[in-house]
Amino acid sequence: NLTSRITTVFTSLKRKGYLSEKDVDNAIRDIRRALLQADVNFQVVKEFCQNIKQQAVGERVYKSLRPGDVVVKIVHDQLVELLGQEYSPLKLSGMPPVIMLVGLQGSGKTTTAAKLANSLTKQNYKPLLSACDNRRPAASEQLEILAQKNQIDFNPVDPLSALKSAEKAVEIARKKYLNPVILDTAGRLHIEHQLMEELKDIKSKLNPSDILLVVDAMTGQDAVNLAESFNKELGLTGIILTKLDGDTRGGAALSIRQVTGVPIKYVGTGEKIDDLMQFYPKRMASRILG
Amino acid sequence: SRSTDKISQEQLEELEEILLLADLGPDLTDYLISEIKNENPQDGLTKLQQQLTDILKVDAAEDVLIPTSDKPKVILIAGVNGTGKTTSAAKIAYLLTEQDNKVMLAAADTFRAAGIEQLENWAKKYDFDLIKGQYGGDAAAVVHDSYDAAHSRNVDYLIIDTAGRLHTKKNLMNEFNKIQKVLNNKNCHRCHNLLVLDATVGLNGLQQVQIFNQYIPVHGLIVTKLDGTAKGGCVFPVVHQMRIPVQFIGVGEGIEDFQFFDPEKFVRGLFN
Ligand SMILES: Nc1nc2c(ncn2[C@@H]2O[C@H](COP(=O)(O)OP(=O)(O)OP(=O)(O)O)[C@@H](O)[C@H]2O)c(=O)[nH]1
Ligand SMILES: Nc1nc2c(ncn2[C@@H]2O[C@H](COP(=O)(O)OP(=O)(O)OP(=O)(O)O)[C@@H](O)[C@H]2O)c(=O)[nH]1
Ligand SMILES: [Mg+2]
Ligand SMILES: [Mg+2]
């Protein structure tokens, strides 16, 4: 892994008491390769490595420390800082508060909607799951089954209109004092203008306090494209990274955070209803570094 | 006029960026760029595109789409969660039906909520025969029953949709052993396994193909969601290493948004 490789690069060099530019360049090559193999965006890797070089060159290396460890620590700390230091909870403001889940096809929105509702139920909320996907076959049924299994209130999709589905759900939530309303929207490409307009329409009419982009953790270089577009069109308040129970390094996390500045709130760690965890930047940093 | 000057460092970096942004990964990219650094710019680009195309040109182990007397031919659709298996199963059924084949679908995703209903929806819409089991039931039993039904109804192609699963989950991957056993017991000579890859996947795609291939022989790949901005470039390290051909691509959510894989067109797409 990267940590042992960087350490090896340095053990073969003589101890000088400080890191020279040449020393650091050797380590940077390995860092760059490791980050690209972890699917971190090319441009983000470039900037990250320049940053590391600035921090590392001239860095004092005391007799007690190994030079490789110094570089590894700089890389690790920089990753953690970029990934976001503190956990920022959901805003959940509004009467009732509305959470909107958006993202590409198959990223895990429907499953995550149910997980989020379940987690909020445990925090004494009374959420309403609102199916707003009128395109994918059996999408509303999928959410309904998850809702029923976990005793969560559910509003089915209006097959003719995603907007009407959402509006109806908010109306019902008001009547029944349900809070928050979680909108599960259809997967869509960020380059499909009409479909992005559909989301903007829902946003302007219902004013969700939380707009969360659900992203598959194994997304490669495209992560930046999709996150930038969704953020530009909607103004995201948070990211949920799914399928982190796999062995993908998850570099998309760094790319998205770095390029949009939007905080990662939760991670999906499985297909079960409880498989939703708070995001921990230190854990993600170790994972990306491999 | 032809330049005899070597391709510049700047041009090499431009090409390197294209390949990296397409998810080819640092290792294959370094190799391909090193192969052209002594060429002139025109020859360099031509050589690069040729090498990329050559990587993709792999003969399929057998072309499952060539009609033979064995019936039914089985096409098994597998892959990690959310890649487009169910949608692709329906698309393949449609494509084969358009070619005058009698098809049957097996809804062997008994695990995910509405996994069966989703495929059933497609089958009802386009009038495909469908065999399903119980939600929560045994997937191998659905394979068993659907094979018998396909055999007795003289079906040309049986298309089996399976549940999404991460390759890291041993117990889920072991389910394929049970499915294989059922098909072997039925003397299925024409079982073609297709692994579905999402075009947005990064280098984890290689992991997926490697591990799935340890449990069921992967005969071909389907790359979906190529109508997005992702280039699907992880297929280059995958095909380079595994020599498993990409056979189809998904280019949308409609039943007809499905094409035979064209290596030249795919390579051109990288440079658009
Ligand atoms: N292993 C694992 N699977 C997940 C996770 N989150 C979602 N899935 C699975 O990923 C697949 C897709 O999930 P969905 O919830 O249907 O995704 P979606 O974004 O709603 O899909 P569309 O509505 O078609 O865009 C399903 O098989 C889920 O069970 C996760 O954290 N880990
Ligand atoms: N844009 C686009 N979307 C696609 C394509 N193929 C599938 N999809 C969409 O991707 C999402 C997931 O497709 P599914 O067929 O449910 O994927 P799956 O692999 O069966 O998912 P699981 O069974 O949950 O693992 C759906 O919203 C599909 O409409 C494609 O080629 N292009
Ligand atoms: Mg969904
Ligand atoms: Mg499916």
Side-chain angles (χ1 to χ4, degrees):
Chain A
N1 66 24
L2 180 66
T3 306
S4 55
R5 263 212 306 283
I6 294 180
T7 322
T8 324
V9 164
F10 280 92
T11 47
S12 56
L13 300 173
K14 279 169 72 71
R15 295 285 188 82
K16 317 189 189 67
Y18 69 91
L19 293 172
S20 75
E21 187 165 343
K22 182 165 172 297
D23 299 335
V24 176
D25 279 344
N26 285 328
I28 293 283
R29 257 194 292 281
D30 271 347
I31 294 166
R32 178 182 180 271
R33 179 168 175 267
L35 293 177
L36 287 172
Q37 284 192 319
D39 295 327
V40 179
N41 178 265
F42 170 74
Q43 195 57 36
V44 171
V45 171
K46 228 175 171 183
E47 291 168 22
F48 185 87
C49 289
Q50 282 168 353
N51 199 323
I52 295 301
K53 181 166 173 172
Q54 282 181 344
Q55 286 185 47
V57 171
E59 182 80 4
R60 291 218 51 77
V61 182
Y62 298 98
K63 289 282 189 270
S64 54
L65 258 183
R66 294 185 300 176
D69 292 347
V70 177
V71 176
V72 167
K73 180 151 185 3
I74 290 172
V75 172
H76 186 268
D77 291 354
Q78 184 68 11
L79 268 179
V80 171
E81 184 178 333
L82 291 178
L83 286 168
Q85 292 281 21
E86 7 49 47
Y87 165 65
S88 54
L90 298 177
K91 189 150 172 258
L92 292 179
S93 66
M95 301 278 268
V98 176
I99 302 174
M100 185 162 83
L101 296 185
V102 301
L104 294 188
Q105 290 90 347
S107 61
K109 298 172 292 300
T110 304
T111 312
T112 302
K115 288 178 183 178
L116 203 50
N118 178 63
S119 151
L120 287 166
T121 301
K122 296 210 173 118
Q123 299 168 50
N124 293 319
Y125 285 88
K126 248 187 144 284
L128 174 64
L129 279 171
S130 161
C132 299
D133 180 352
N134 61 347
R135 270 192 293 285
R136 168 171 156 157
S140 191
E141 287 86 327
Q142 182 186 359
L143 190 60
E144 183 168 23
I145 290 169
L146 294 173
Q148 282 176 348
K149 237 185 181 181
N150 297 287
Q151 286 122 9
I152 301 168
D153 286 88
F154 170 76
N155 188 58
V157 76
D158 174 343
L160 295 178
S161 164
L163 174 63
K164 290 217 174 85
S165 312
E167 289 177 323
K168 182 78 179 151
V170 170
E171 189 187 321
I172 289 178
R174 279 206 189 101
K175 286 207 190 101
K176 295 185 171 179
Y177 300 107
L178 298 171
N179 154 27
V181 177
I182 300 173
L183 307 178
D184 175 27
T185 68
R188 69 202 65 214
L189 297 175
H190 48 288
I191 51 173
E192 290 186 83
H193 181 74
Q194 289 259 38
L195 296 181
M196 294 305 286
E197 289 299 310
E198 177 182 82
L199 291 179
K200 285 160 83 168
D201 210 13
I202 295 176
K203 175 185 177 177
S204 70
K205 301 234 164 65
L206 296 182
N207 197 17
S209 58
D210 297 274
I211 302 180
L212 307 173
L213 180 69
V214 179
V215 182
D216 191 324
M218 49 188 117
T219 307
Q221 299 289 316
D222 196 49
V224 161
N225 299 330
L226 75 103
E228 269 190 317
S229 291
F230 272 92
N231 193 34
K232 178 159 161 281
E233 296 296 329
L234 297 171
L236 302 169
T237 65
I239 308 282
I240 300 183
L241 213 55
T242 61
K243 308 175 203 172
L244 265 172
D245 44 319
D247 59 2
T248 187
R249 301 263 291 281
L254 177 63
S255 309
I256 291 176
R257 170 69 178 170
Q258 181 67 351
V259 167
T260 66
V262 178
I264 301 169
K265 307 252 179 186
Y266 298 102
V267 296
T269 56
E271 295 189 77
K272 303 216 251 340
I273 199 77
D274 290 314
D275 293 332
L276 187 74
M277 293 176 35
Q278 194 178 309
F279 174 70
Y280 291 105
K282 284 212 177 88
R283 285 189 203 172
M284 194 74 219
S286 310
R287 183 183 181 123
I288 291 175
L289 282 180
Chain B
S1 67
R2 212 194 219 194
S3 154
T4 49
D5 292 337
K6 255 179 39 180
I7 187 167
S8 71
Q9 184 58 29
E10 195 178 16
Q11 287 165 324
L12 283 175
E13 286 181 3
E14 269 177 42
L15 291 173
E16 179 191 47
E17 182 168 351
I18 289 173
L19 299 182
L20 287 173
L21 285 178
D23 287 310
L24 266 78
D27 294 344
L28 184 57
T29 299
D30 282 349
Y31 169 71
L32 291 168
I33 295 296
S34 69
E35 287 280 292
I36 64 166
K37 64 178 195 284
N38 292 318
E39 306 282 342
N40 70 53
Q42 280 101 315
D43 288 349
L45 180 60
T46 307
K47 182 174 182 188
L48 176 61
Q49 290 180 327
Q50 188 55 53
Q51 293 207 306
L52 287 165
T53 311
D54 288 345
I55 287 175
L56 298 178
K57 287 202 163 145
V58 179
D59 292 327
E62 50 156 277
D63 193 340
V64 69
L65 298 181
I66 294 177
T68 66
S69 56
D70 313 326
K71 284 193 206 194
K73 286 216 262 299
V74 174
I75 298 177
L76 181 93
I77 313 288
V80 304
N81 308 72
T83 51
K85 297 176 292 300
T86 305
T87 311
S88 298
K91 289 173 177 179
I92 291 175
Y94 182 81
L95 185 152
L96 291 171
T97 304
E98 291 287 287
Q99 295 179 346
D100 292 329
N101 292 293
K102 191 167 198 295
V103 307
M104 174 181 280
L105 284 163
D109 177 359
T110 52
F111 174 74
R112 205 207 68 210
I116 298 170
E117 286 87 327
Q118 185 184 358
L119 190 63
E120 197 167 21
N121 209 300
W122 284 109
K124 286 205 176 111
K125 188 167 181 192
Y126 292 99
D127 200 23
F128 303 134
D129 243 346
L130 175 93
I131 300 290
K132 57 182 179 171
Q134 291 265 21
Y135 175 40
D138 181 17
V142 177
V143 174
H144 176 277
D145 296 347
S146 60
Y147 191 92
D148 285 347
H151 192 75
S152 71
R153 290 180 214 179
N154 216 21
V155 161
D156 295 307
Y157 288 94
L158 172 64
I159 301 155
I160 305 176
D161 179 28
T162 64
R165 70 204 69 204
L166 293 181
H167 49 289
T168 47
K169 313 245 157 127
K170 284 215 168 69
N171 56 332
L172 298 181
M173 295 304 291
N174 280 328
E175 185 180 70
F176 285 126
N177 296 332
K178 289 179 69 186
I179 292 177
Q180 278 287 71
K181 228 171 167 230
V182 164
L183 292 172
N184 289 338
N185 287 344
K186 299 281 175 199
N187 285 322
C188 172
H189 295 297
R190 293 270 163 172
C191 287
H192 196 82
N193 302 322
L194 292 176
L195 188 75
V196 181
L197 289 176
D198 191 318
T200 63
V201 75
L203 295 174
N204 194 248
L206 180 57
Q207 272 296 88
Q208 293 173 24
V209 181
Q210 281 175 335
I211 306 291
F212 268 83
N213 196 45
Q214 290 173 5
Y215 287 86
I216 42 164
V218 176
H219 300 113
L221 305 171
I222 301 175
V223 181
T224 60
K225 309 178 197 173
L226 277 168
D227 44 318
T229 49
K231 300 285 184 177
C234 89
V235 299
F236 289 99
V238 167
V239 181
H240 184 59
Q241 196 162 315
M242 308 292 297
R243 304 317 287 156
I244 296 171
V246 178
Q247 297 192 289
F248 300 101
I249 61 171
V251 291
E253 300 191 73
I255 199 81
E256 292 184 304
D257 296 326
F258 205 60
Q259 298 169 2
F260 285 94
F261 184 63
D262 178 343
E264 275 95 357
K265 189 170 176 201
F266 191 77
V267 171
R268 283 199 301 276
L270 281 190
F271 296 93
N272 285 346

